[in-house]
Amino acid sequence: MMLKLWSPLWQADYGSQVVNDHPDWVADGDGVGFYGLHLNLAKPDVYNWILNKANEMQSAWGPYQWRYDGMPAWKVGGSDNDMLMQSQNFFQLLKAFKDANPLAWINGCSSGGETLLMEALRFSDTQQVTDGNAYHYAGYYQSLKLPIDKIDWPASRPEISSDFNTFDPKDPVVKENTRKYYEFNRYLASEGLIGRWVKVFRPTISSGDSTHILQKTNGNQSKSTIQFSSFTPYFNADFTVYPKGLVNDDNYTLRCYMGGCTPQTHTGSYWKTNGVAITNLQPGEVVLFNVTGYPGAGTDDTTPTAPSHVIKKTAYNMDRYGVELTWTAGADNRWISYYEIERNGIVIDKVSKGVYDFVTDGSISDTYKVRTVDGDGNISGYATASFQSGGPSAPGPITVPNIFRASTDFGSSQGLNNWAYFQQYTPYSSSMYLTNMNWDGTNNRWRGNEDYALIAGNWMSPGETYNAVRKWIAPKDGTILVSGNIALGQSSQGGDGVEVRIKRSGAYPFLESDVWGPYTMNGNDIAGLEHHFVLNVKRGEALYFNVNKRGNHYYDVTNWDPKITYGTPYLASAGFSGAQGSNQWLYQEWDGSVYHDMSAYLSDMGVWNGSQTYLRIGAGTQHPDAHDSVRTWVAPTTGTVVLAGTVRMGGTGGDGVIATIKKNGSMIWGPTTIAGMDTVTGASYDFQVSVNEGDKLYFIVNKNGNHYYDATMWDPSVTILP
């Protein structure tokens, strides 16, 4: 198994450095497609740049599997005259890359199998056949002319995970299944049953579709496997499979990896005539001929020897500090399955290949031990790691901010303060196709490839064919509060409004899903929309703040200054309850001298009612009467909290209210008067304050002159910083 990196180097994003530095390298007349712009591979400078870039990445990161994609050959200026040279340079590029990087792999892909040519395939180690679901047929028939182990034939297997892009940890059972699956295939490769020179046969079965079955033998046909596709319709059934490719007079010992047949030995002629009786076929089953010493066969009881010269040393690996372990390999009479790594008496890892392990954030003072485990689970004794000096010192504490705001973090570099600035090509908006904007230093803003595709500190503007997308990248794991207000910035000039949404990358860094919106805003909407929601994020996940045009992009400047706060958030509306004290919130009134809990929860209205008719508190609303309406938060711990929110009237006709925030008996914000007609702007606050466990924060709404029409919109948030 090898790291696979998707990198279609003949495709380039608008706004990328290579396009900015060499606009003449882009194919004449090219437009942005799904993969971006096309570099003209017929040009020698383009060929050399791509080869150098591919080699540089291999040198920097070590051998990995280069997965290419996109279209290496493309019309230039509407003509296909350059496409022959593009094609020749493409093949030459693959050869030159392999010559320069003999340990690297190539995974061929071009929107599936559009470069599925013999000339390209001979340089590829693996090759995608199709982006669509051709089920098992593509591999079954393509293997008539192409090496079976270079193309994707979906052999069935137990529940494993072949996707290592996700942030989420793997289920331990699935993780172990995955290790065993790859180990079994490594063993088959060592027996000559996986690789470039295997022979492929197509067995028949007693009943059913035989295209779900493929058989492979080694070069002299002394060993063989039969596998079943993952789409096999006869799982859990009994049937007979008739192999081919066995030498008639040679003996073949039968085994089944999942136990679906009876072990026995007969000649090749016997097996071809009588077949193999399969009982209750299960996913992952493999019929084996003369393959008896595989991992898990249960035929080995010899203890392996322990590793030696185990060394522990501080190190950096992929920018992470920790402890690296190295050792001299142990030995086994058949097959070493893995090395088991123990730290302070607890098993923390299994190393299936190589004699190296890296313990992220490990301490050099911990005790590390390594032992050998063979294919049938026999184990050696532990070898304890000895300390080796010369490694780097532990880094000093790194302070990662807990609060991020678009306007205050804004800058002229992509990624600065965890923010980046993109445009989204609307024909591919469903696929989240993003390209870089370019910095406009004259106007202190980011600009796309249209005049009005813009992002500034606290506003965004979509273009006619490009949406504006502000991206935030999580610097650490944690719980965040995502808050902000969105309003049109040119409301009096006749625009038709925008569509706004927030997406996240989720478990897969390259995929996204809506977490808020989409919402449509009219062109005269200066009141706007507020968003306050809580997410759990992993380091490296991203949020995308998108502004899209509606009918046209005229006068679509949109004020939006999102804020992300790490911590433990308490949002009034989300924590609202019919029980006093639930989620740290109390619903009270102030009579001028004492705070009293409201006693009546009106479930039909979803509000608390105090001692007076109009004295109420809802999920995000408050209404005073003669007494003040008081929403109270009780600190569950000592620390620093961030208070944020906006207070405005819920309707017109009254004389307004007075809003105040107090900590215990001290005023910390206000008093602020909200005018009776102010249903749009209101008064906003955003500040930090220290609290001790048990402290109370009071969010108070007081009538101004009278209590008529005093419904007040107020959804305060309190976030305890880490």
Side-chain angles (χ1 to χ4, degrees):
M1 185 170 62
M2 181 180 288
L3 171 69
K4 183 188 295 183
L5 180 67
W6 184 85
S7 184
L9 292 173
W10 36 81
Q11 309 282 169
D13 287 341
Y14 175 86
S16 62
Q17 182 176 342
V18 64
V19 171
N20 290 341
D21 292 347
H22 305 283
D24 57 310
W25 288 5
V26 177
D28 291 342
D30 193 19
V32 175
F34 180 81
Y35 296 102
L37 299 168
H38 299 81
L39 301 182
N40 186 357
L41 194 50
K43 292 177 177 285
D45 287 345
V46 172
Y47 170 89
N48 290 326
W49 180 86
I50 293 174
L51 179 59
N52 290 337
K53 178 63 69 174
N55 289 339
E56 286 170 7
M57 292 190 295
Q58 288 284 326
S59 176
W61 301 333
Y64 65 86
Q65 188 171 179
W66 173 25
R67 176 181 171 87
Y68 65 75
D69 206 338
M71 306 297 176
W74 194 256
K75 287 187 177 183
V76 177
S79 169
D80 57 9
N81 288 344
D82 280 0
M83 295 182 73
L84 178 60
M85 181 56 69
Q86 291 170 350
S87 178
Q88 292 175 350
N89 281 347
F90 167 63
F91 298 136
Q92 177 60 34
L93 176 68
L94 298 182
K95 181 180 185 304
F97 174 79
K98 292 288 283 189
D99 288 343
N101 304 281
L103 297 180
W105 280 29
I106 292 178
N107 174 226
C109 175
S110 179
S111 291
E114 294 186 22
T115 56
L116 189 60
L117 307 169
M118 191 68 72
E119 188 68 15
L121 193 67
R122 74 188 184 100
F123 298 115
S124 298
D125 297 274
T126 57
Q127 174 70 44
Q128 188 164 330
V129 176
T130 175
D131 258 357
N133 194 347
Y135 300 98
H136 60 291
Y137 297 112
Y140 186 86
Y141 290 109
Q142 289 287 0
S143 62
L144 288 167
K145 61 177 181 178
L146 302 174
I148 181 63
D149 288 321
K150 283 194 174 190
I151 59 178
D152 184 20
W153 186 74
S156 71
R157 55 200 185 190
E159 184 183 3
I160 72 166
S161 177
S162 58
D163 182 359
F164 298 95
N165 297 303
T166 62
F167 292 107
D168 299 328
K170 304 299 181 186
D171 177 270
V173 174
V174 174
K175 188 176 180 180
E176 180 63 8
N177 284 347
T178 304
R179 186 196 66 78
K180 289 181 177 179
Y181 174 78
Y182 282 104
E183 177 187 29
F184 179 59
N185 281 276
R186 284 196 296 115
Y187 179 83
L188 294 181
S190 73
E191 295 290 295
L193 290 165
I194 290 178
R196 174 66 180 84
W197 305 110
V198 299
K199 297 179 180 179
V200 181
F201 298 88
R202 289 160 175 76
T204 59
I205 56 175
S206 54
S207 62
D209 183 358
S210 60
T211 63
H212 288 282
I213 306 173
L214 278 178
Q215 179 183 357
K216 295 189 287 186
T217 73
N218 60 352
N220 64 11
Q221 296 171 235
S222 62
K223 299 179 180 183
S224 182
T225 64
I226 297 176
Q227 292 178 284
F228 305 87
S229 89
S230 58
F231 301 101
T232 296
Y234 33 85
F235 285 127
N236 303 312
D238 301 342
F239 57 91
T240 300
V241 57
Y242 297 92
K244 298 180 180 180
L246 305 182
V247 179
N248 285 340
D249 295 332
D250 289 356
N251 284 329
Y252 293 87
T253 298
L254 172 71
R255 298 289 295 264
C256 281
Y257 184 64
M258 304 287 289
C261 64
T262 302
Q264 51 192 294
T265 301
H266 293 290
T267 65
S269 176
Y270 173 90
W271 289 122
K272 288 190 285 187
T273 301
N274 295 279
V276 176
I278 301 295
T279 302
N280 190 25
L281 179 68
Q282 294 299 304
E285 184 65 278
V286 182
V287 178
L288 304 166
F289 291 103
N290 284 349
V291 182
T292 57
Y294 56 88
T299 57
D300 181 14
D301 57 7
T302 301
T303 300
T305 63
S308 59
H309 303 100
V310 183
I311 299 296
K312 64 177 180 179
K313 183 179 180 180
T314 60
Y316 279 94
N317 190 315
M318 297 182 73
D319 295 328
R320 301 294 294 273
Y321 177 80
V323 173
E324 68 176 17
L325 304 174
T326 58
W327 57 91
T328 300
D332 187 66
N333 62 318
R334 287 191 182 175
W335 180 262
I336 293 177
S337 181
Y338 59 90
Y339 294 97
E340 187 174 78
I341 313 299
E342 182 186 276
R343 178 175 63 184
N344 298 334
I346 299 174
V347 175
I348 61 170
D349 208 355
K350 295 178 180 179
V351 177
S352 296
K353 287 190 68 176
V355 288
Y356 176 89
D357 194 31
F358 182 77
V359 184
T360 304
D361 301 324
S363 171
I364 197 66
S365 62
D366 290 339
T367 299
Y368 297 92
K369 297 180 179 180
V370 184
R371 66 180 177 181
T372 311
V373 182
D374 73 12
D376 277 336
N378 301 302
I379 57 177
S380 73
Y382 274 115
T384 302
S386 300
F387 170 71
Q388 184 178 88
S389 61
S393 301
I398 299 174
T399 301
V400 178
N402 293 313
I403 300 174
F404 298 83
R405 185 184 285 278
S407 58
T408 54
D409 296 337
F410 187 70
S412 59
S413 299
Q414 293 280 13
L416 179 67
N417 300 319
N418 294 78
W419 295 95
Y421 310 92
F422 296 100
Q423 57 186 347
Q424 180 185 34
Y425 190 49
T426 53
Y428 298 109
S429 59
S430 62
S431 63
M432 201 59 185
Y433 178 77
L434 302 177
T435 56
N436 291 328
M437 286 186 168
N438 292 308
W439 177 247
D440 176 2
T442 302
N443 295 294
N444 196 38
R445 64 192 184 189
W446 290 87
R447 181 185 180 278
N449 64 335
E450 293 178 328
D451 288 341
Y452 294 101
L454 304 167
I455 299 178
N458 61 354
W459 59 265
M460 304 166 68
S461 173
E464 182 62 26
T465 56
Y466 287 89
N467 303 327
V469 181
R470 192 191 305 264
K471 177 182 179 181
W472 176 80
I473 306 99
K476 59 183 177 180
D477 296 356
T479 301
I480 59 172
L481 174 66
V482 184
S483 55
N485 179 269
I486 313 171
L488 270 296
Q490 297 173 294
S491 59
S492 62
Q493 299 186 39
D496 61 355
V498 295
E499 182 184 78
V500 295
R501 71 204 313 158
I502 303 174
K503 292 175 173 282
R504 74 180 297 180
S505 57
Y508 294 82
F510 53 88
L511 298 179
E512 40 69 36
S513 58
D514 287 318
V515 292
W516 183 84
Y519 294 108
T520 298
M521 302 181 66
N522 293 323
N524 60 353
D525 189 349
I526 59 173
L529 297 169
E530 289 187 4
H531 58 83
H532 301 279
F533 58 88
V534 176
L535 293 174
N536 291 313
V537 295
K538 298 285 188 181
R539 177 186 177 189
E541 283 192 80
L543 296 181
Y544 304 90
F545 300 85
N546 296 30
V547 177
N548 313 339
K549 68 166 189 173
R550 289 183 67 186
N552 60 63
H553 69 281
Y554 304 125
Y555 310 111
D556 278 354
V557 169
T558 304
N559 295 323
W560 194 359
D561 188 13
K563 177 186 176 184
I564 292 98
T565 306
Y566 274 93
T568 305
Y570 294 86
L571 186 61
S573 57
F576 185 72
S577 171
Q580 290 280 7
S582 178
N583 303 311
Q584 305 304 125
W585 293 103
L586 297 171
Y587 309 96
Q588 299 184 307
E589 59 184 280
W590 169 254
D591 64 6
S593 59
V594 179
Y595 292 102
H596 300 280
D597 287 352
M598 292 182 175
S599 58
Y601 178 68
L602 308 180
S603 58
D604 58 331
M605 300 176 64
V607 297
W608 283 89
N609 205 151
S611 61
Q612 296 154 344
T613 303
Y614 296 105
L615 187 58
R616 293 175 178 174
I617 299 176
T621 61
Q622 292 178 236
H623 196 299
D625 204 309
H627 292 175
D628 295 348
S629 172
V630 183
R631 191 191 306 267
T632 304
W633 180 80
V634 183
T637 187
T638 297
T640 300
V641 298
V642 178
L643 307 185
T646 299
V647 191
R648 65 177 186 270
M649 301 308 299
T652 60
D655 60 356
V657 297
I658 299 172
T660 307
I661 304 175
K662 290 184 177 182
K663 185 181 86 169
N664 299 327
S666 301
M667 191 174 301
I668 56 176
W669 181 77
T672 300
T673 300
I674 311 298
M677 301 294 289
D678 189 355
T679 61
V680 176
T681 305
S684 297
Y685 59 90
D686 189 341
F687 61 92
Q688 298 181 26
V689 65
S690 61
V691 295
N692 293 316
E693 182 178 352
D695 280 352
K696 293 182 178 180
L697 300 179
Y698 300 101
F699 300 86
I700 305 168
V701 176
N702 172 262
K703 67 183 177 69
N704 193 2
N706 60 63
H707 67 270
Y708 304 123
Y709 307 106
D710 277 356
T712 304
M713 309 301 293
W714 194 359
D715 187 12
S717 66
V718 182
T719 304
I720 304 174
L721 295 179

